[in-house]
Amino acid sequence: MTAVDFAGFVDRLAQVSGEVILPFFRSTIGAEDKSRGGVFDPVTEADRGAEAAMRRLIAQTFPAHGVIGEEYGQDRPEAEYVWVLDPIDGTKSFISGLPTWGTLIGLMHRGKPVYGMMAQPFTRERFFGDGARTRLRCLAPSRGDAPPSEWMTRPLRTRECASLAEATVMTTSPALIRVEADREAYRRVEAKARLTRYGGDCYAYCALALGHVDLVIETGLKPHDVVALAPIVAGAGGMMTTWEGGDATAGGRIIAAGDARLYEQAKQLLTA
């Protein structure tokens, strides 16, 4: 069984999670703080409900598969196939009414990411890739005042960008880079970039796959933050590793780039 066999099932997971999440978006939903007095780390009823719904569907359909989720932890992480779930990546954006959050659904086979989707039910976009190709399913633009009603799917490709002087760089927030040496390393890159934008969360990596962003730099990420995104970035022609060039699957300090030349420049500055 190959990763492509799971594509329809991933769509079902995206559908059930979106049905749970959307009624809460731009509502008066409250948020608990998971940090226990540290840096604010919100979780909502939508996060927990969506992950629970996806876990139930996985258990019913593939009872031998493992699951790793942000809200409910690990279940058989040593299984041959393991689903890695982040029901709302970007909960801070979610509770602020900003649409730069998404549901991350990743699949690992024998410890390697083989398929990933970022589903944004509010904008009705689904970015998905298997490491070889990446596509976007969304509503096709309409003409005139008619609302969009037809779906389209198109392949994605990162854009060429030879140097930082031409690059658009994203990070969710420099404030989240909590180690001073890492902040200084990030600033070395930012100082040379043409344009910097903040606040993208998972959407930044999809904008990279779309060819609108050239570089994403983060620290302190967990597997549920990266496993779904790695096949999306790779399938669009980009690369996603740790700052040192290692496997990004476990998280940590992550760099994603759409052009190998830019990747090498940024990595050199980050590890200098």
Side-chain angles (χ1 to χ4, degrees):
M1 183 176 288
T2 63
V4 72
D5 298 322
F6 294 108
F9 180 70
V10 174
D11 275 322
R12 290 174 60 196
L13 289 175
Q15 184 65 32
V16 299
S17 64
E19 288 171 356
V20 173
I21 293 168
L22 272 183
F24 293 102
F25 185 51
R26 294 182 176 171
S27 72
T28 56
I29 188 172
E32 298 178 29
D33 186 0
K34 294 191 292 185
S35 70
R36 299 179 180 178
V39 177
F40 181 53
D41 184 15
V43 62
T44 70
E45 184 179 345
D47 295 83
R48 292 175 174 143
E51 184 173 320
M54 289 190 286
R55 282 177 175 264
R56 282 194 298 270
L57 186 54
I58 292 167
Q60 292 165 5
T61 311
F62 299 111
H65 288 196
V67 181
I68 298 172
E70 179 178 15
E71 306 307 334
Y72 294 109
Q74 299 184 354
D75 177 23
R76 286 171 294 179
E78 74 288 346
E80 180 181 3
Y81 286 98
V82 177
W83 297 90
V84 184
L85 309 174
D86 191 344
I88 302 178
D89 182 85
T91 303
K92 293 174 184 176
S93 293
F94 181 83
I95 64 175
S96 301
L98 303 174
T100 52
W101 53 273
T103 297
L104 296 180
I105 304 167
L107 177 62
M108 292 197 299
H109 182 227
R110 297 193 175 114
K112 300 294 183 182
V114 293
Y115 195 86
M117 175 178 284
M118 193 286 271
Q120 218 307 346
F122 182 74
T123 61
R124 304 180 78 175
E125 296 173 305
R126 293 181 184 177
F127 297 82
F128 53 98
D130 61 5
R133 64 176 180 170
T134 293
R135 290 176 288 176
L136 166 64
R137 182 175 182 262
C138 60
L139 285 168
S142 60
R143 295 182 179 180
D145 295 330
S149 59
E150 295 183 1
W151 292 99
M152 61 177 287
T153 300
R154 64 184 181 95
L156 301 185
R157 200 71 186 167
T158 61
R159 68 183 176 189
E160 293 185 1
C161 182
S163 71
L164 278 166
E166 303 168 354
T168 297
V169 179
M170 290 198 72
T171 191
T172 298
S173 171
L176 295 177
I177 304 175
R178 296 182 182 124
V179 176
E180 180 58 34
D182 290 348
R183 282 197 299 272
E184 288 300 322
Y186 168 76
R187 290 180 187 128
R188 288 196 293 269
V189 176
E190 184 182 82
K192 293 181 177 294
R194 181 183 68 172
L195 176 65
T196 302
R197 306 303 300 161
Y198 300 147
D201 295 299
C202 60
Y203 214 104
Y205 298 87
C206 295
L208 187 146
L210 272 168
H212 296 299
V213 168
D214 304 296
L215 191 66
V216 183
I217 299 171
E218 309 264 30
T219 64
L221 299 189
K222 302 292 190 293
H224 58 254
D225 297 312
V226 298
V227 167
L229 294 169
I232 294 173
V233 171
M239 55 221 68
M240 185 172 175
T241 71
T242 65
W243 286 14
E244 296 78 18
D247 183 9
T249 304
R253 304 187 303 175
I254 300 299
I255 176 173
D259 188 307
R261 296 167 295 180
L262 179 65
Y263 169 81
E264 292 297 338
Q265 291 177 37
K267 186 159 67 74
Q268 184 174 2
L269 289 170
L270 289 171
T271 57

